[in-house]
Each structure stands twice: as structure tokens, then as C-alpha cells.
Amino acid sequence: MSKLHLEEIKLIGLALNRKTSNANGQSSIDCGNLWQQFEKENYIDKIPNKLTDEIVAVYHEYEGNHTQPFSYFIGCKVPMDTKTPIGMESLIIPNQIYQKIIAKGEIPNCLINAWKEIWSSSVSRAYKTDFEVYDERSKDWSNAEVDIYISIH
């Protein structure tokens, strides 16, 4: 795990239309459905001015800790002045300090295990904006690497 300071990042993509929660596996269903929509409707090719081909999944607007409702967003990094197309949304990941964890293995199991480890760790989480970055290393879902950034105090 490494600590780093990141400047704000603008994303354009899709937002879950309501908050979700980790209770009873609801977030797995809701977030999975948003991923399916993002991929099925080929949003990665519709997002203008992408800075990279990375896909960023964001957990934000926490109502408390990881057991409480939160918002979810999937998108790509774009320049700050990029206009949001009709039918899409934008999100700013704020300038803050993060702890970086790398999930390795088969998706989704490696992510589930990484989050369980985060939830049970002593990391001083801020519960502001956390995100996962899917890049070339995560294309092979049977042997993937995904960077997870956790907002900390």
C-alpha cells in the first residue's frame, strides 16, 4: 500500500440512478448492472476527449462507513473543459490523499477480497471518494490487476 496525493480528475460516463449499499449483496447487483449497461451500449467509445482508455469506477457520497449507502459512477478521464454529452453524466474526483492498493487475480473475486481486506484494515478512511482504475492490466479477467484508491485522512 502506498500513500499519494492526486489532483482533481474529471470523468464522463454513467451514474447509478440511486444510492446502493453493501447489505445483502445489493451493491454487487447494482454496480454489475451499471457495468453491463456501460459495456453493452459501448459508452467507452461515446465519451469525448478521453485522456486514456482507462475505465474508472467511483464510490462516493458515502452516508457513513462501508455499511451505509453510497453512490456509484463509471467513466473515463477527460479534460476539465470537456462538455458532458446528453445522456451521460460527469463527476469530479476531488484533490485529496489516497492509499493505493492493487487487487490481483480473477475478477470479480480479487476485487471482492481486496475490499474485504480494506474494510477490516486499520486504514484511516475518509469515506469521501474511492475509485478503481481498469487499464490494460485488467483486460484479462482471469488474471487481472486493478488499482484501488481509497481516500484517507
Side-chain angles (χ1 to χ4, degrees):
M1 291 193 205
S2 58
K3 285 185 184 180
L4 53 146
H5 177 264
L6 296 178
E7 296 300 320
E8 67 181 11
I9 301 165
K10 181 175 182 174
L11 303 174
I12 290 180
L14 291 179
L16 198 58
N17 60 6
R18 58 180 162 46
K19 287 193 173 184
T20 188
S21 143
N22 290 316
N24 302 317
Q26 189 60 50
S27 65
S28 292
I29 295 165
D30 292 339
C31 298
N33 288 341
L34 192 66
W35 270 102
Q36 286 180 0
Q37 180 184 356
F38 188 85
E39 291 180 356
K40 189 175 95 182
E41 298 177 25
N42 209 18
Y43 275 89
I44 195 160
D45 290 336
K46 297 178 183 178
I47 296 169
N49 305 326
K50 285 190 307 284
L51 295 172
T52 69
D53 283 332
E54 296 171 340
I55 299 173
V56 182
V58 185
Y59 305 82
H60 63 112
E61 295 177 344
Y62 288 96
E63 290 184 11
N65 66 19
H66 67 275
T67 65
Q68 302 300 309
F70 59 89
S71 295
Y72 189 70
F73 184 95
I74 301 169
C76 296
K77 297 175 187 177
V78 298
M80 285 295 176
D81 62 353
T82 303
K83 289 191 183 334
T84 305
I86 294 171
M88 291 192 213
E89 298 192 35
S90 64
L91 177 73
I92 303 290
I93 296 176
N95 165 353
Q96 55 194 17
I97 301 195
Y98 293 91
Q99 185 102 21
K100 179 181 171 183
I101 296 107
I102 301 173
K104 294 181 183 180
E106 186 175 349
I107 293 176
N109 296 339
C110 68
L111 290 163
I112 292 166
N113 293 335
W115 280 106
K116 285 180 179 175
E117 193 175 304
I118 291 163
W119 296 337
S120 64
S121 75
S122 60
V123 172
S124 180
R125 294 187 62 193
Y127 290 100
K128 301 257 189 230
T129 305
D130 303 325
F131 62 98
E132 301 162 345
V133 178
Y134 296 82
D135 58 21
E136 284 301 316
R137 299 169 302 139
S138 55
K139 295 264 190 248
D140 176 1
W141 278 39
S142 63
N143 185 25
E145 284 188 32
V146 178
D147 294 337
I148 303 174
Y149 293 84
I150 306 299
S151 57
I152 59 173
H153 292 289

